[in-house]
Amino acid sequence: MQYTRDRLGELLLRAGVITEDQLLDALAQQQISGGKLGQILVQNLAVDEDVIARTLAEQKGLEFISLAMFPIDREAASMIPARVAERSLVIPVGFRDGSLVLAMADPLDVEAIDDVHLRTNKTVVPVVATATQIQYAIEKFITSADAFEGIVPADEADEAEAPAVAVGDEDVPIVRLVNQLIREAVLDQASDIHIEPGAHGVRVRFRVDGVLHEVMTAPSSARAGLISRVKVMAEMDIAERRRPQDGRIGLVVNERPVDMRVAALPTPFGENIVIRLLNHEASQQTLGDLGMSAEHLEMVEKFLSRSYGEILISGPTGSGKSTSLYAALMHLNSPTRKIITIEDPIEYQIAGITQMAVHASIGLTFASLLRTVLRSDPDVVMVGEIRDVETAQIATRAALTGHLVLSSIHTNDAPSALTRLTDMEVAPFVASSALIGVVAQRLVRKLCSSCKELKRLNRVMLTDRGFAFDELRVKSVYEKRDGGCDKCHGTGFRGRTGVFEIMPMDSELERLFLASAPSEAIRSAALAAGMKTLRADGLDKVAAGVTSLDEVARVVL
């Protein structure tokens, strides 16, 4: 194939993508500050980089690909070093008839094509992709591939002799591998990293928007060092492999502070590691950012306007309870209120609020700290989780003595929170007097606004997902597009939002609770009083085009 030395500006001008004035301005800026012309045009908002890439592909008769949806071959990506890829903004993405497929932001860069050909000794087939996607792919594939280099195969059974790599040893291969995994997780906006040893390797998965995705399989030879490195970073005992352990890591990744909670569980093939990445943006969310309807938002604000009583947030692990509690604290935070929290651990620091951490090993439990806190004249107390009888009883009684108490509890829905308090030996007459209301919640993925598709609703679409035909009274709903788009990285979803079930206490619910009625009777009374279920709130978000039927069915059915 013959490559001609066309100029990017001339091609874009000829295609009508930019004006002559825009080109002259960009060229003048390039003369002063240097840099690539395409990047300058994008920075000046003269043209979108996706338009540049597609125009270049069309003008040169090349294929345009979206790396968000393209299955990148890790073997191909590892054929050139990261410094070469970053310098020329190129990445090998696969093989085609014995040739190397090279994604390029600038297919006019003949020198880059020649360089890759000389390094790999393969014929190069250039394709075009956006600069942003190539940079992301370099971080994800080439840097992680480089991290495997130099890992020496070790005796898998002799895990006790795995080297305890110091935190500062950044040139050690296993250190580069762990750092790259964390960097990838931050780039992917993952909430968790799962490192799972098996018989034939170590599987690594990320949880993104609540769904697990496999990102790589590390060789068995890397297992001992990988686990030891994470445990050293989390200040855990690397010699203890028979008992579960917890730890914490604090790093700065791409100039962004990242806090991580680490849990290690013993398995027959080595310790299973879960790293939870804490989202600092969650601490800045307001009640209006949670995805509540206007009706639900008004109810919660009314709960929080009370001077005393107990408000419970319920749901399983990973349902956003902590985010909702922090949003409530942000709503209440003011110079006129003394707010104290008891957390395990403190996830986000909030100015103006006194925060305390649980340390069970030295006797600082939720219950013992709560007793101390109540002697410190608080107006509002947040207990991270009600998980035992003593904490439940003290928190509930505190709500009757002039304190507004916020906490979370693990139940499947709002009415079940009442029976859960009874199980924790809280007297019904105490709980019914203290409780203001219960907020049950789940998280659903939001449809990508750039690629979601409108489809006509029919009976089969509802019944196949477990809904009745009359539950959703709209003619059309939005669904995710197969393959997604660049902006959602091919998933069809971007971000998450909450679905809620809010149950305020009223006289009828108090009567049933005092009579030790089952949760179904309490649920029926709450529905009769107008409570909207998680299912109904989810379907309202489907009708509004926020999420899909499949998402609601996955989360609430």
Side-chain angles (χ1 to χ4, degrees):
M1 182 179 291
Q2 296 295 318
Y3 302 109
T4 57
R5 294 178 179 271
D6 292 329
R7 295 180 181 275
L8 174 62
E10 294 172 357
L11 283 178
L12 296 176
L13 187 62
R14 193 160 60 236
V17 173
I18 59 174
T19 66
E20 188 171 354
D21 287 343
Q22 288 173 327
L23 176 57
L24 292 174
D25 288 344
L27 288 171
Q29 186 174 336
Q30 187 183 40
Q31 287 289 329
I32 297 170
S33 58
K36 292 184 177 292
L37 181 63
Q39 293 175 340
I40 294 172
L41 288 168
V42 172
Q43 290 168 0
N44 293 347
L45 303 178
V47 63
D48 187 81
E49 67 173 351
D50 185 73
V51 174
I52 291 178
R54 291 181 184 276
T55 302
L56 282 172
E58 182 180 346
Q59 292 289 318
K60 299 300 294 180
L62 298 175
E63 179 185 355
F64 172 83
I65 64 171
S66 168
L67 295 185
M69 295 175 278
F70 192 91
I72 296 177
D73 188 319
R74 285 185 179 270
E75 181 184 349
S78 64
M79 294 188 73
I80 64 173
R83 66 179 185 279
V84 174
E86 290 170 350
R87 183 182 65 223
S88 302
L89 271 183
V90 298
I91 181 171
V93 294
F95 302 97
R96 187 178 297 170
D97 299 327
S99 299
L100 187 66
V101 180
L102 184 69
M104 308 181 68
D106 181 7
L108 309 179
D109 189 348
V110 181
E111 287 79 6
I113 296 173
D114 290 340
D115 189 13
V116 173
H117 168 66
L118 290 172
R119 288 176 179 276
T120 62
N121 197 29
K122 285 187 174 292
T123 303
V124 174
V125 177
V127 296
V128 185
T130 64
T132 299
Q133 286 189 352
I134 290 176
Q135 188 62 56
Y136 176 85
I138 290 170
E139 287 282 337
K140 185 168 184 178
F141 293 96
I142 296 184
T143 312
S144 62
D146 288 351
F148 282 110
E149 294 179 3
I151 293 178
V152 179
D155 181 1
E156 296 176 25
D158 196 13
E159 201 165 305
E161 296 183 6
V165 181
V167 175
D169 295 336
E170 301 301 323
D171 291 331
V172 178
I174 204 69
V175 174
R176 297 203 307 269
L177 176 58
V178 173
N179 290 350
Q180 177 58 23
L181 284 176
I182 293 172
R183 190 181 301 113
E184 277 190 44
V186 172
L187 286 171
D188 287 351
Q189 297 183 326
S191 59
D192 304 272
I193 304 171
H194 293 253
I195 302 173
E196 303 164 329
H200 305 292
V202 183
R203 181 172 67 169
V204 179
R205 296 191 289 174
F206 293 167
R207 188 180 296 279
V208 181
D209 288 339
V211 179
L212 282 169
H213 302 278
E214 185 168 339
V215 294
M216 72 169 65
T217 299
S220 295
S221 58
R223 182 187 66 196
L226 183 60
I227 293 171
S228 293
R229 169 60 180 170
V230 173
K231 291 173 71 175
V232 166
M233 293 175 72
E235 299 182 356
M236 297 156 71
D237 183 357
I238 63 169
E240 178 57 73
R241 298 181 304 280
R242 297 171 299 172
R243 294 193 179 110
Q245 292 189 69
D246 296 307
R248 189 160 189 167
I249 301 172
L251 292 176
V252 176
V253 180
N254 296 338
E255 301 181 355
R256 168 186 162 188
V258 179
D259 285 330
M260 290 161 275
R261 290 165 59 181
V262 183
L265 296 173
T267 74
F269 301 105
E271 288 169 285
N272 182 96
I273 303 286
V274 177
I275 305 172
R276 184 179 182 191
L277 286 78
L278 302 179
N279 180 9
H280 281 279
E281 294 177 0
S283 66
Q284 301 169 3
Q285 289 191 339
T286 65
L287 291 173
D289 298 327
L290 302 178
M292 292 183 182
S293 64
E295 176 188 0
H296 279 162
L297 185 59
E298 184 180 353
M299 293 170 70
V300 171
E301 288 177 344
K302 186 176 180 181
F303 288 173
L304 295 172
S305 68
R306 298 275 293 271
S307 59
Y308 68 92
E310 186 175 32
I311 302 169
L312 296 178
I313 312 289
S314 76
T317 301
S319 60
K321 299 188 298 296
S322 294
T323 301
S324 295
L325 284 172
Y326 277 107
L329 291 177
M330 294 291 287
H331 180 83
L332 292 169
N333 194 12
S334 75
T336 62
R337 287 193 182 96
K338 176 70 173 181
I339 302 176
I340 303 179
T341 72
I342 305 170
E343 307 174 54
D344 184 20
I346 297 171
E347 295 190 6
Y348 316 109
Q349 298 282 352
I350 302 178
I353 294 178
T354 303
Q355 297 174 265
M356 302 176 67
V358 168
H359 290 288
S361 60
I362 58 173
L364 297 180
T365 64
F366 277 115
S368 63
L369 285 174
L370 188 52
R371 287 195 191 91
T372 303
V373 163
L374 295 178
R375 292 194 291 269
S376 301
D377 190 31
D379 297 298
V380 180
V381 178
M382 191 273 271
V383 181
E385 182 183 343
I386 292 178
R387 60 173 67 153
D388 58 69
V389 171
E390 193 174 10
T391 304
Q393 292 176 342
I394 297 172
T396 305
R397 291 189 180 278
L400 291 175
T401 56
H403 306 92
L404 183 62
V405 178
L406 282 64
S407 190
S408 68
I409 192 167
H410 285 275
T411 61
N412 289 327
D413 55 23
S416 298
L418 301 185
T419 53
R420 178 69 177 139
L421 288 176
T422 302
D423 292 341
M424 290 184 173
E425 301 177 16
V426 178
F429 71 88
V430 175
S432 61
S433 300
L435 200 58
I436 298 172
V438 182
V439 179
Q441 68 179 73
R442 300 287 190 279
L443 292 176
V444 295
R445 291 181 293 174
K446 295 194 293 184
L447 287 166
C448 174
S449 58
S450 299
C451 67
K452 62 183 181 182
E453 296 179 336
L454 189 64
K455 294 184 179 179
R456 187 167 183 81
L457 187 65
N458 57 59
R459 186 182 299 272
V460 174
M461 290 174 67
L462 286 163
T463 55
D464 281 357
R465 293 165 173 84
F467 299 105
F469 181 62
D470 59 352
E471 281 192 90
L472 193 55
R473 299 183 179 277
V474 293
K475 293 182 178 180
S476 300
V477 294
Y478 280 98
E479 295 284 307
K480 81 178 187 72
R481 187 176 77 185
D482 290 339
C485 68
D486 294 352
K487 292 184 178 178
C488 62
H489 300 295
T491 64
F493 297 97
R494 290 183 70 190
R496 289 190 290 177
T497 191
V499 292
F500 299 90
E501 177 178 283
I502 301 181
M503 186 186 74
M505 286 295 290
D506 60 20
S507 57
E508 178 60 17
L509 292 180
E510 286 187 28
R511 185 187 66 78
L512 290 170
F513 191 26
L514 288 170
S516 300
S519 59
E520 282 304 314
I522 294 172
R523 166 173 280 274
S524 297
L527 291 172
M531 182 184 77
K532 183 184 290 184
T533 64
L534 288 164
R535 179 184 183 122
D537 191 45
L539 288 176
D540 283 350
K541 287 180 168 60
V542 171
V546 175
T547 190
S548 69
L549 282 168
D550 284 328
E551 266 300 286
V552 175
R554 180 181 69 86
V555 170
V556 304
L557 293 188

